[in-house]
Amino acid sequence: MSGGRRASAAGVALMLGGAGILLGVAAVPAQAAEVSYKTECIPPAASGLGPVEGTTKVEITAPATAKVGDEIQVVWKFVQAASKNPDLIVLPKDSVKPTGTLKASGAQTADIAMEGPQKNPEIPKGGDMVLSDMTGKVKLTTAGDVTLTPDAYTITAYSTDTKCTPQEAVPAAATIKVTAAEGGSTTSGGSTSGGTTTSGGTATGGDTGGTTSGGSTTSGGTTSGGTTSGGSTSGGNDGQTDFAGKTVTTSFACASPGPAKIDSSATINAKKNGGSYDLTVKTAKGVMNSPAPLPAGALKPSMVITVGGDDSGSLKVEGPANKDALNTGDPVSLGDMTGTYKPGADGKATLSPGDLTIVVTLSAGSNPITIPCKATKTAVSLELDVQKQAGGVSGATTSGSGSSSGSSSGSSSSSSGGGLAATGANDHGGLRALGFVAGTAILLGGAVFTFLPRRRVR
């Protein structure tokens, strides 16, 4: 009995040993190697920043050996990105996504598409950029040594891309010894799977829902409705004090990085106040969605009102900042904008919506960013019988409400590079930080807001 047990135990040991041998063959040992290389990063054009140079350090992990026909996975780990987060904004958790290209050469050539999830901790101002690990797959087709070398990569935040490319020969980070498949001829040539994506990749996923880089996805076209009561109302000599304008269709073309086009509507209402008129301008509600969290007070609109007819000139109306914080996907509406129209001539004056400006402040103490949007389609919303007042608008542009906070806040954004963090490179003793964050801060049109026509204001 005991001899049988010993025989069984020996058999089990042999089977386990054999399994161990088989497992040893299947579990191909991985290799990990770190390389560093000089990198030039091109910020978004709208950021106004020039190329940024720094050092990228990455670690590539890949199998040490494999066979022809195997599809292997490769991991790209960022040990150090080319810069720190500028002293401009805090990057929220899970707002940054990397993509890139890993070059295969030697026995087989291929561009291996690498992509990481949109996953990162909150990155403070001046903090180290923390990028997720990227992975990619390639099918091996030819026996021999296949070397893997990091190439270009792209950092996407709020759909704003910064593209980084090597500025020197990058050393190979890993070599895979590929042997012929057992029991047959090797398959030579062919195209490797996963190796046809363009350099930098397309930021397709993560938690952003597939918004492609740089694209402002303005859906829709015209805003519904357009026949609200009021028409071109005139008055002023019969004791009337309240004048309701008609809702008119508006379109705006925003400067980059704003959306290519915004379709909305606007209504100008007036209340007589002595010889002047207090104006209230309403725009369509929910004309855009927020694809990222925005704090209360982040978004402040203003608009130029064009004066025509017997009077001429323009004035500015301003609206309050958003009262409540916004979550990703929340509909965003611009607050009612107010200002004062003081006539500069006698007769009939017309008031039409003009250029729109959105000023954004992402966090307390950060530089405001101005997004100018030029009116490309508008119409007269209100007509008034007016009498000339001293200091009226005729032929001039006035502040309307007497506040210029919207325009002044934007001027500082174009020079915000002075607050960017140094990376230790050789740009006169301090390298300005990676421009994608500045692009992120400047965001906003198609990058942070997708304007969607909803409905007219009644």
Side-chain angles (χ1 to χ4, degrees):
M1 178 66 70
S2 61
R5 288 178 179 173
R6 285 195 296 269
S8 297
V12 171
L14 286 172
M15 286 188 290
L16 290 175
I21 293 172
L22 291 175
L23 288 172
V25 172
V28 179
Q31 55 176 330
E34 180 182 314
V35 296
S36 62
Y37 53 96
K38 294 180 181 178
T39 308
E40 180 182 70
C41 295
I42 306 297
S47 71
L49 299 175
V52 178
E53 293 185 355
T55 299
T56 299
K57 295 181 180 180
V58 302
E59 181 181 277
I60 302 298
T61 302
T65 61
K67 295 184 181 297
V68 170
D70 288 349
E71 184 178 63
I72 63 166
Q73 178 171 282
V74 184
V75 179
W76 172 321
K77 178 181 178 64
F78 284 94
V79 177
Q80 176 184 295
S83 80
K84 295 181 180 292
N85 183 18
D87 293 321
L88 181 62
I89 61 170
V90 174
L91 286 176
K93 180 181 178 181
D94 299 339
S95 63
V96 181
K97 177 183 178 67
T99 54
T101 302
L102 187 67
K103 294 281 190 182
S105 59
Q108 176 180 341
T109 59
D111 288 346
I112 305 172
M114 307 296 291
E115 182 175 346
Q118 185 169 306
K119 188 173 182 62
N120 59 276
E122 181 180 276
I123 304 175
K125 298 177 183 179
D128 291 335
M129 288 299 301
V130 181
L131 304 175
S132 63
D133 294 350
M134 299 192 296
T135 60
K137 292 183 178 180
V138 61
K139 187 172 183 179
L140 301 172
T141 61
T142 308
D145 288 350
V146 177
T147 59
L148 303 176
T149 305
D151 196 53
Y153 62 92
T154 297
I155 301 173
T156 302
Y158 295 112
S159 300
T160 302
D161 288 348
T162 290
K163 298 183 180 296
C164 301
T165 54
Q167 296 302 295
E168 62 179 344
V170 182
T175 300
I176 306 171
K177 293 187 177 297
V178 183
T179 58
E182 295 178 357
S185 58
T186 63
T187 303
S188 61
S191 59
T192 60
S193 63
T196 57
T197 62
T198 57
S199 174
T202 302
T204 59
D207 301 324
T208 60
T211 304
T212 53
S213 62
S216 56
T217 54
T218 307
S219 64
T222 59
T223 311
S224 60
T227 58
T228 54
S229 60
S232 297
T233 25
S234 61
N237 298 323
D238 57 358
Q240 183 180 359
T241 58
D242 294 325
F243 304 95
K246 70 175 182 179
T247 299
V248 296
T249 299
T250 56
S251 293
F252 301 93
C254 297
S256 178
K261 185 179 182 182
I262 300 173
D263 292 311
S264 185
S265 64
T267 309
I268 303 175
N269 299 320
K271 184 178 182 66
K272 199 172 189 328
N273 184 2
S276 299
Y277 296 84
D278 295 331
L279 303 183
T280 300
V281 180
K282 296 179 177 290
T283 57
K285 302 300 180 183
V287 295
M288 52 188 172
N289 295 325
S290 177
L294 286 175
L299 178 68
K300 183 176 175 64
S302 63
M303 179 181 283
V304 173
I305 302 301
T306 302
V307 181
D310 293 326
D311 200 357
S312 64
S314 62
L315 60 100
K316 188 171 78 170
V317 293
E318 293 183 313
N322 56 302
K323 180 179 179 182
D324 300 318
L326 298 168
N327 296 316
T328 301
D330 284 353
V332 179
S333 301
L334 302 180
D336 292 350
M337 292 171 277
T338 59
T340 301
Y341 165 49
K342 182 180 289 187
D346 295 326
K348 291 186 180 295
T350 60
L351 302 177
S352 305
D355 295 346
L356 173 69
T357 299
I358 302 172
V359 177
V360 180
T361 305
L362 293 180
S363 61
S366 65
N367 289 330
I369 290 88
T370 299
I371 306 297
C373 301
K374 183 176 179 60
T376 57
K377 181 178 182 180
T378 186
V380 173
S381 175
L382 183 63
E383 183 179 85
L384 298 169
D385 288 330
V386 299
Q387 294 180 335
K388 181 177 180 180
Q389 304 294 311
V393 302
S394 186
T397 299
T398 67
S399 63
S401 62
S403 169
S404 60
S405 61
S407 60
S408 63
S409 64
S411 62
S412 62
S413 65
S414 62
S415 60
S416 61
L420 299 180
T423 63
N426 56 357
D427 184 11
H428 295 81
L431 176 66
R432 290 199 301 178
L434 194 62
F436 90 93
V437 180
T440 300
I442 298 174
L443 15 109
L444 277 156
V448 166
F449 294 129
T450 301
F451 285 74
L452 300 173
R454 296 287 184 87
R455 54 186 170 84
R456 289 184 183 274
V457 178
R458 296 186 181 277

